[in-house]
C-alpha cells in the first residue's frame, strides 16, 4: 500500500509539474515524454529504487496494457485534431505511406537488426515489424504546441499525425507474420494471416470503428437537441468512446487501435464544428497529460543490463535505425507523396518518424506470443534512443525550419 501511494503521488506530481511548465519545455531541447521517462529511471530500480514494478505483478503485461490505453487516448486526440475530411482529401499521400512506406520501414529495420544482432530471420522480422510504425504519442509532442504551430508547415504536421495514427494499428499484419510463422506451418500461417488477421482483425476493426463513431456522434447530437444532457462534456464523451472502442475491439478480437482511431474520425465528422474548438483544445491538453505516466512506467522498467549486454551491436543498431529506417525511404517516395513532395518537407518527415509507445506495445506482444526476448530488448532500446534523439531535435530543428522556410499561416 505504501508503494501504491508513493506511485500515485509521484505520477501526480510529475504530471502536474510537467504540465505547468509545458510551454517553456516545448521550446527547449527536452521533451515532456523524455522528462517523464527520466523521472521513471530516477525513482526506479536503476536509480533510487523507490519503486519496483516487478512487485506489482507481471510487469510486462502491466506495461503492455498501459501502452494500449495510452495509444488509444492519443489516437482519439489525433482523430479530433485533424481537420474534417482530412483522411479523404489526402488519401493519396496516406496510401503511399501505409502501403509502400511502412513495409519498407519494416524491411529496412529488419535487415539492420539481422546485420547488427546475432538473431535469425524471424527474430529480425519481428524487431523490424515492432518498430516500423511512427509513434503517435511522441509525434504529437513534435507537431503540437507553439513552436510547431509557428514554424512547421501545416501539411507536414497533419499528415504526420494521420500517418502515425493509422500505421499504429495497421502495423499488426506485419507483426503477425513472424508470430504466425514461428508457431505454425507456412501454409497454415498464410491462411490464418489472410482470414483472421487481415480480414477480421483489421477489416472488421475498420467497420466497427466507423459504425461506433457515427452511432455515438449521432446519439450525442440527438441528446443535445432534446436537452437530455444535464452537464454536457465533449471530453467525457470522447474518453468514454475511447474506452468503449478499445474494450469492444479487444473483446471481439479485433485491432483495437484501428477501432479507436476510425471511431474518432467518424465521430468527428458528425459533431465537428466551431462550437467544439475550445473543448478540442482542452481534449488535446488532457491527452498529453494522460500519456505521460506510461513514460514514467517505461522508465521504471528499463532493461539496462540487457541493453548493455548488446554492446557495440546495440549502438550500431540504434545509429543505423535512426538514420536509415525512415529518411531514405521518404526521400525515395516523396514524388508520390503529394503532401511531402517538396524536398525540405520530405526531409522533415523523414527525420521525424519517432519510435515510441507503439514499439513497446508490439515488442511486448511479440515476447508474450512467441517468447522473443530480443524483440522486447531491441524495441525498448530503440524507443529510449528515439525519445532522446527526436525529443532533443524537435524544438531546434522546428525553429531552424521556421526561419529558413517560413510557413504560411494555418
Amino acid at each position: 500500500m505504501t508503494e501504491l501511494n508513493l506511485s500515485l503521488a509521484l505520477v501526480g506530481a510529475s504530471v502536474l509539474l510537467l504540465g505547468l511548465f509545458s510551454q517553456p519545455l516545448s521550446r527547449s531541447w527536452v521533451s515532456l515524454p523524455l522528462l517523464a521517462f527520466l523521472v521513471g529511471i530516477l525513482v526506479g530500480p536503476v536509480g533510487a529504487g523507490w519503486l519496483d514494478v516487478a512487485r506489482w505483478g507481471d510487469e510486462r503485461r502491466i506495461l503492455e496494457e498501459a501502452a494500449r490505453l495510452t495509444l488509444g487516448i492519443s489516437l482519439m486526440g489525433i482523430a479530433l485534431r485533424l481537420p474534417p475530411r482530412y483522411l479523404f482529401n489526402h488519401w493519396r499521400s496516406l496510401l503511399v505511406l501505409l502501403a509502400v512506406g511502412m513495409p519498407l520501414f519494416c524491411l529496412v529495420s529488419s535487415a539492420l537488426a539481422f546485420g547488427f544482432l546475432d538473431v535469425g530471420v524471424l527474430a529480425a522480422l519481428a524487431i523490424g515489424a515492432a518498430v516500423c510504425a511512427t509513434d503517435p504519442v511522441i509525434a504529437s509532442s513534435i507537431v503540437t504546441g507553439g513552436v510547431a504551430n509557428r514554424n512547421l508547415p501545416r501539411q507536414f504536421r497533419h499528415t504526420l499525425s494521420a500517418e502515425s495514427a493509422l500505421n499504429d494499428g495497421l502495423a499488426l499484419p506485419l507483426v503477425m507474420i513472424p508470430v504466425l510463422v514461428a508457431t505454425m506451418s507456412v501454409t497454415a500461417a498464410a491462411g490464418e494471416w489472410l482470414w483472421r488477421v487481415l480480414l477480421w482483425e483489421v477489416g472488421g476493426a475498420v467497420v466497427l470503428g466507423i459504425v461506433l463513431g457515427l452511432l455515438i456522434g449521432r446519439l450525442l447530437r440527438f441528446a443535445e437537441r432534446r436537452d437530455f444532457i444535464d452537464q454536457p462534456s465533449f471530453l467525457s464523451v470522447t474518453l468514454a468512446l475511447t474506452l468503449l472502442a478499445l474494450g469492444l475491439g479487444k473483446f471481439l478480437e479485433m485491432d483495437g487501435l484501428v477501432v479507436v482511431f476510425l471511431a474518432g474520425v467518424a465521430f468527428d465528422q458528425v459533431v465537428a464544428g466551431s462550437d467544439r474548438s475550445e473543448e478540442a483544445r482542452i481534449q488535446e491538453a488532457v491527452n498529453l497529460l494522460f500519456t505521460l505516466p506510461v513514460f514514467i512506467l517505461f522508465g521504471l522498467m528499463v532493461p539496462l543490463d540487457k541493453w548493455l549486454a548488446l554492446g557495440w551491436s546495440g549502438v550500431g543498431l540504434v545509429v543505423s535505425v535512426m538514420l536509415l529506417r525512415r529518411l531514405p525511404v521518404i526521400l525515395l517516395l516523396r514524388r508520390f507523396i503529394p503532401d511531402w513532395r517538396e524536398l525540405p518537407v520530405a526531409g522533415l518527415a523523414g527525420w521525424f518518424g519517432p519510435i515510441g509507445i507503439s514499439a513497446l506495445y508490439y515488442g511486448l506482444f511479440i515476447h508474450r506470443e512467441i517468447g522473443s526476448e530480443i524483440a522486447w530488448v531491441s524495441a525498448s532500446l530503440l524507443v529510449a534512443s528515439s525519445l532522446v534523439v527526436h525529443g532533443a531535435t524537435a524544438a531546434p530543428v522546428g525553429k531552424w525550419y521556421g526561419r529558413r522556410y517560413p510557413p504560411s499561416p494555418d
Side-chain angles (χ1 to χ4, degrees):
M1 187 61 70
T2 300
E3 190 155 330
L4 172 62
N5 291 326
L6 179 60
S7 303
L8 293 175
L10 173 69
V11 169
S14 300
V15 171
L16 179 62
L17 289 174
L18 294 178
L20 289 174
F21 294 96
S22 58
Q23 279 290 347
L25 287 173
S26 69
R27 298 191 295 267
S28 74
W29 290 67
V30 184
S31 66
L32 293 179
L34 176 58
L35 278 177
F37 173 62
L38 294 176
V39 168
I41 292 177
L42 284 174
V43 302
V46 173
W50 295 345
L51 296 175
D52 186 356
V53 185
R55 294 198 289 263
W56 306 354
D58 186 343
E59 57 180 340
R60 291 180 178 175
R61 194 59 189 266
I62 291 171
L63 180 57
E64 182 182 346
E65 292 304 318
R68 186 169 71 97
L69 178 60
T70 301
L71 287 171
I73 293 171
S74 181
L75 294 180
M76 181 61 69
I78 291 173
L80 300 176
R81 185 173 72 234
L82 289 173
R85 299 193 59 80
Y86 190 85
L87 299 186
F88 308 102
N89 296 334
H90 297 259
W91 66 269
R92 289 181 179 85
S93 294
L94 295 172
L95 180 63
V96 172
L97 287 167
L98 296 172
V100 183
M102 188 167 62
L104 288 177
F105 302 155
C106 176
L107 289 175
V108 170
S109 302
S110 299
L112 294 171
F114 184 78
F116 280 99
L117 304 179
D118 184 20
V119 297
V121 174
L122 278 183
L125 284 173
I127 294 169
V131 302
C132 70
T134 304
D135 186 69
V137 181
I138 303 178
S140 291
S141 70
I142 292 171
V143 301
T144 59
V147 173
N149 292 335
R150 288 190 299 270
N151 296 284
L152 299 180
R154 178 174 53 186
Q155 73 269 23
F156 161 71
R157 291 186 279 115
H158 290 331
T159 304
L160 182 64
S161 294
E163 180 214 359
S164 66
L166 285 166
N167 69 12
D168 250 38
L170 296 179
L172 179 67
L174 296 174
V175 170
M176 290 303 296
I177 292 174
V179 169
L180 292 174
V181 172
T183 55
M184 59 185 68
S185 69
V186 174
T187 303
E192 186 80 354
W193 186 84
L194 177 62
W195 297 108
R196 182 172 69 84
V197 177
L198 206 58
L199 292 182
W200 177 252
E201 295 191 24
V202 176
V206 170
V207 175
L208 177 61
I210 293 172
V211 170
L212 269 182
L214 293 176
L215 177 62
I216 300 302
R218 288 172 180 170
L219 282 175
L220 176 61
R221 284 300 196 193
F222 173 79
E224 288 178 331
R225 285 196 303 268
R226 297 298 181 94
D227 200 25
F228 287 166
I229 303 177
D230 184 25
Q231 295 180 334
S233 173
F234 185 65
L235 177 62
S236 64
V237 171
T238 55
L239 286 176
L241 176 58
T242 302
L243 298 177
L244 173 63
L246 271 180
L248 189 57
K250 184 75 171 180
F251 176 76
L252 296 175
E253 297 184 345
M254 294 178 178
D255 190 335
L257 301 180
V258 171
V259 177
V260 170
F261 180 64
L262 291 183
V265 170
F267 176 82
D268 192 54
Q269 305 309 304
V270 178
V271 305
S274 59
D275 58 319
R276 302 289 184 188
S277 59
E278 182 61 31
E279 292 177 291
R281 283 193 289 271
I282 296 173
Q283 168 94 24
E284 188 60 39
V286 171
N287 287 343
L288 176 62
L289 298 182
F290 262 99
T291 61
L292 294 179
V294 77
F295 289 103
I296 298 177
L297 183 60
F298 175 40
L300 292 173
M301 290 179 53
V302 287
L304 184 60
D305 55 338
K306 294 173 182 175
W307 292 352
L308 295 174
L310 294 177
W312 288 107
S313 296
V315 175
L317 178 67
V318 167
V319 174
S320 62
V321 168
M322 292 297 117
L323 294 176
L324 302 177
R325 159 183 164 267
R326 181 177 173 91
L327 182 57
V329 175
I330 296 297
L331 294 178
L332 179 67
L333 296 177
R334 69 183 179 89
R335 297 183 183 277
F336 307 101
I337 306 173
D339 293 336
W340 295 347
R341 186 168 291 157
E342 297 177 6
L343 183 58
V345 178
L348 268 183
W351 176 247
F352 288 119
I355 303 169
I357 299 302
S358 57
L360 292 180
Y361 173 73
Y362 283 122
L364 290 165
F365 172 80
I366 292 167
H367 179 270
R368 175 164 54 85
E369 291 293 317
I370 61 175
S372 178
E373 181 75 14
I374 191 63
W376 153 243
V377 174
S378 301
S380 61
L381 175 61
L382 290 168
V383 170
S385 303
S386 182
L387 276 172
V388 174
V389 172
H390 293 115
T393 57
V397 171
K399 292 175 183 177
W400 173 85
Y401 188 94
R403 291 192 298 269
R404 184 69 177 81
Y405 307 98
S408 58
D410 284 4

